[in-house]
Each structure stands twice: as structure tokens, then as C-alpha cells.
Amino acid sequence: MNLFKKKRIYLDYAAATSVRKEVVKAMRPYWNEVYANPSAIHAEGVRARGAIESARETIARVLRVTPNDILFTSGGTESNNIALRGSVLAMRNSGLKPEEIEIISTEVEHPSILKTLEHLKKEGCVITYAPVDQDGLIKAEELSKLLSPRTRIVSVAYANSETGVVQDIAKLSRRIKVFERENGIEVYFHTDASQAPLWLPCALDALGVDMMTLDAGKCAGPKGVGVLVVRPRAKHAAPPPPPATFGGSQESGLRPGTEPTPLVVGAAVALDLAQKESGTLSGRVATLRDRWLEDLLSIDGVLLNGSLEHRLPNNVNISIPGFDSEFAVIVLDHTGVAASTKSACAGAGSGRSQVVFSMTKDEARAAATIRFSLSPATTYLELKKVTQILRKHLEKMRTATSFDHK
């Protein structure tokens, strides 16, 4: 059966977005016309280098930082790895022992953060997880209690990749700054903002962070290109870390290899447009989401995961305890609806949602999650159809279960 013969309803925007036409147009010349290696010193190479530096300047303007603060990567996962592992390597180069380096994060982070923290723990670093409440939020006072003289890095996602819960990053940053002043040490604050640009303001000075991860593929840009923003305070506090890989001197030597000019250009256009339109999009999509949530929560057994007030406007994460959510997603897929159970990077078939379990401590709830993420083009008629499909599926499963028990 060809799943794409009829018009499908795509509700997995948190995993991947379509590339908007303005971005495609901006990238087009850099595939076949301006295709030279941007490290070459001839005229063609200089022209390609100019496009990359222009993109760097655009992103710096949007985020209110300097172009020197912008590092291009392959995506959010690599940016997160470089932010954490690179910072630790720099600290170790400056003379700190691993056991003198504490990183505070949470158990609801993206897998690229959690797996990196596991690796750093094996190397001897101290990893501390700040608790989140049932809404998925970190209380600033709880973070303050955890900060210690050996704390060197705090990493908290701006918007959660599964539940869409939005943390008050500026408030957390203020608590860290108070701790720094009182103790005379520097604590670098990193946030994974990959899910944020389409919906939330991302200027670093307003958020008060030292490092930020972004992924163009999450905000209507091309896949395969990300950004790591590192402000001067975090860069100049210690010797630069060794490169992520060995090779040339591209991206300040931290990420050798030929820069993908078309992708970099596309990323800049996508981030610029996302931030310009985020305010307008957020209100409209949030209204649509709230209307749909009323329909979903009217279905017996459906629970909303995470704060409704502090949440990305396009995110609906539900649990249906007692039901196989992966089977439900397959049923939705065969009826023309694309959804997911967790973050795509968490992998299919990998059991419960670590994010939902950390919030609720409920195994049944964490094992039965479905994530819907709306696009700016989603309509209520589409969502109404999804409600009908889901309701019909659950009724069928209940009838089958009831019959089996007779």
C-alpha cells in the first residue's frame, strides 16, 4: 500500500520541518554556481567564503552576539557535544581535574546531552541532575541549592524536545549569576534551543546564557547544519579545547572540514525568518492547539504531559496508560497521520519515555506517550480527523481487550 497516494497529515514538526521556499531560493546558487571550496584563495573560493561570513553575520545579528561567537556544525547533536565535551577539555587543559568539574543538568534533556553526560561521568566528571516537577519545570530555588564551588557548567534545554515544556532560562541564569558573585567563580550556562526559534525569542543577552545550540532542520531550514553560539566569556576563560576532529582550521579549528556553503546560507535565512515571525506564529498556533487539546482530553484515558502554560505553542504530548502507543502511531500512520512516541533521536522501540517518567514517576504513563507537533500550516479540520481516528482506535482496542477477558 502506498501511504502517500492521499494527502497526509504531518504532525511531527518537532522531529523535522519542511524547508520554506525562501530558504530554498537562497541556497540555490550555492549548489551549481558558487560551488568552490570556501577555504580556497582564488576568486571563486573567496566568493563562497563571503557567503558563509555573511550568513554568520546574519545569525549573529538575529541572536545579538558577534560573528566570532558563531560556530557552524552538522546539527544540534554535534553542537551539544562540542559545548559540553569541548568546555570540559578546555577546563582540563587549564589544570582542573575531572573530579573538580561538576555539570548540572536534568534527566529530561535530549539524548545528545544525556549520552554526553554519561560519557563525561565515566571520565570522572561529577554529574548532578536537577529535579523537575510534574509539569516538567525546574524550580530556580532547586537549582540554587545544587550549585557548589566545583560547579562549572549548567546545561538546561530552553524547550523540551518531547513535551515542549519551556524553561524560564533567564530566571535560571539570574540565579547562576548571583551564585557566581557570592562565590567568585564562573559557571557557564548552556542551553539547547534547537526547538525554540520558530516560537520563542532566542537573543542570548536576554536569556543570559553563555552557549546556545541551534539546529536549522528544526526551524524550516536545511537538515545537516547546526549552530553553536559561544560568547566570549566562555571562550576566553580557558585555553581553547582540542578540535572535535582533526584536519584543517575551519570554524576556529574546532570543527575542521569544508563548510557546506548552501546549508550555512539556508540556515541563516531560516533562523532570521523564524525569529522575525515567531511572535505572530506562536499566538495563532497556540490557539489552535488549545482548541484541539479540549477534544483530545475528552477521550477517556488521555492525559496531557507537561505544563500547558509553559509550553511550545505547537506541542501536544499525551499518554494513554494501558495502551500500546507505538501501535497507535502505526495505526495513525496507515490512516495518513504522521506522529511519534518520543524524540526521534531517542529511537523507536526503546521503551518508556525517560522525559515523562522523570516528570511523573509513572511507568504506565511513560510507556504510553504520543507526541504531536503542529506546523504553522496545520488546520483544525486535520486535527479533528486525527481525534476521530484516535478515538476509534482506542474504542476498538478496549472492545478487543474486553472480549479477550471473557
Side-chain angles (χ1 to χ4, degrees), residues 349-403:
S350 53
R352 73 184 188 191
S353 162
Q354 174 62 37
V355 172
V356 174
F357 181 76
S358 295
M359 291 162 48
T360 65
K361 302 299 185 288
D362 185 331
E363 289 279 3
R365 188 166 177 171
T369 61
I370 302 178
R371 180 186 68 176
F372 299 103
S373 41
L374 287 57
S375 86
T378 302
T379 67
Y380 180 66
L381 286 178
E382 290 176 322
L383 298 177
K384 190 175 180 180
K385 179 180 177 182
V386 177
T387 307
Q388 292 169 347
I389 295 169
L390 191 60
R391 190 189 298 274
K392 183 177 179 180
H393 168 67
L394 294 178
E395 288 174 353
K396 183 177 180 180
M397 291 298 97
R398 285 191 178 99
T399 300
T401 301
S402 175
F403 179 80

Side-chain angles (χ1 to χ4, degrees), residues 133-153:
D133 61 21
Q134 280 214 327
D135 286 333
L137 294 165
I138 307 165
K139 289 184 168 55
E141 54 270 25
E142 292 296 327
L143 175 62
S144 294
K145 292 176 185 176
L146 293 174
L147 293 167
S148 74
R150 67 182 177 185
T151 304
R152 295 291 179 267
I153 304 169

Side-chain angles (χ1 to χ4, degrees), residues 81-322:
N81 272 261
I82 294 174
L84 297 183
R85 296 178 64 196
S87 296
V88 168
L89 283 168
M91 291 171 192
R92 292 185 65 176
N93 284 345
S94 69
L96 286 176
K97 298 176 182 178
E99 60 269 23
E100 296 173 318
I101 302 171
E102 179 185 42
I103 305 172
I104 298 177
S105 189
T106 78
E107 292 182 336
V108 299
E109 300 300 310
H110 187 269
S112 61
I113 293 288
L114 296 177
K115 294 293 185 182
T116 301
L117 293 177
E118 288 178 13
H119 171 78
L120 292 172
K121 184 176 181 178
K122 290 176 182 177
E123 290 191 342
C125 294
V126 179
I127 309 300
T128 302
Y129 296 100
V132 297
D133 61 21
Q134 280 214 327
D135 286 333
L137 294 165
I138 307 165
K139 289 184 168 55
E141 54 270 25
E142 292 296 327
L143 175 62
S144 294
K145 292 176 185 176
L146 293 174
L147 293 167
S148 74
R150 67 182 177 185
T151 304
R152 295 291 179 267
I153 304 169
V154 174
S155 182
V156 175
Y158 191 4
N160 189 274
S161 60
E162 286 191 34
T163 62
V165 170
V166 177
Q167 303 292 346
D168 191 340
I169 295 296
K171 187 174 182 179
L172 297 177
S173 174
R174 289 193 292 272
R175 291 298 181 107
I176 294 170
K177 296 293 188 292
V178 169
F179 175 82
E180 287 182 317
R181 288 194 298 270
E182 291 177 348
N183 292 270
I185 62 173
E186 289 187 329
V187 178
Y188 307 121
F189 192 9
H190 166 257
T191 188
D192 181 352
S194 297
Q195 296 288 340
L198 279 171
W199 318 105
L200 302 170
C202 291
L204 271 78
D205 55 355
L207 293 172
V209 296
D210 300 297
M211 297 180 282
M212 175 183 283
T213 288
L214 295 166
D215 189 323
K218 308 294 186 185
C219 60
K223 298 169 188 64
V225 60
V227 172
L228 176 63
V229 191
V230 185
R231 301 183 80 187
R233 193 177 84 115
K235 277 192 292 191
H236 298 152
T245 53
F246 294 99
S249 61
Q250 295 93 338
E251 298 307 299
S252 303
L254 288 176
R255 190 178 184 271
T258 302
E259 297 98 335
T261 306
L263 302 185
V264 167
V265 168
V269 175
L271 285 165
D272 187 21
L273 290 172
Q275 286 291 274
K276 284 177 179 175
E277 299 174 4
S278 61
T280 304
L281 281 180
S282 293
R284 180 169 58 80
V285 176
T287 300
L288 177 63
R289 177 205 63 194
D290 291 348
R291 183 183 179 189
W292 186 41
L293 259 177
E294 290 184 13
D295 297 343
L296 286 176
L297 295 177
S298 70
I299 300 174
D300 184 33
V302 171
L303 303 171
L304 176 68
N305 294 315
S307 169
L308 179 57
E309 180 184 0
H310 304 285
R311 188 187 204 94
L312 289 178
N314 76 322
N315 180 285
V316 173
N317 187 297
I318 61 172
S319 284
I320 317 169

Side-chain angles (χ1 to χ4, degrees), residues 19-95:
V19 181
R20 54 188 298 169
K21 60 183 180 181
E22 298 94 332
V23 174
V24 173
K25 182 179 179 181
M27 290 193 295
R28 190 171 294 125
Y30 300 96
W31 295 114
N32 296 310
E33 298 171 29
V34 187
Y35 54 83
N37 190 314
S39 294
I41 60 174
H42 48 60
E44 290 83 355
V46 170
R47 189 177 175 192
R49 169 57 55 190
I52 286 176
E53 297 312 317
S54 177
R56 202 185 306 272
E57 290 171 4
T58 296
I59 295 172
R61 172 180 52 77
V62 170
L63 301 178
R64 300 210 294 255
V65 295
T66 71
N68 288 336
D69 300 338
I70 304 297
L71 171 72
F72 292 113
T73 70
S74 65
T77 289
E78 187 180 24
S79 292
N80 284 337
N81 272 261
I82 294 174
L84 297 183
R85 296 178 64 196
S87 296
V88 168
L89 283 168
M91 291 171 192
R92 292 185 65 176
N93 284 345
S94 69

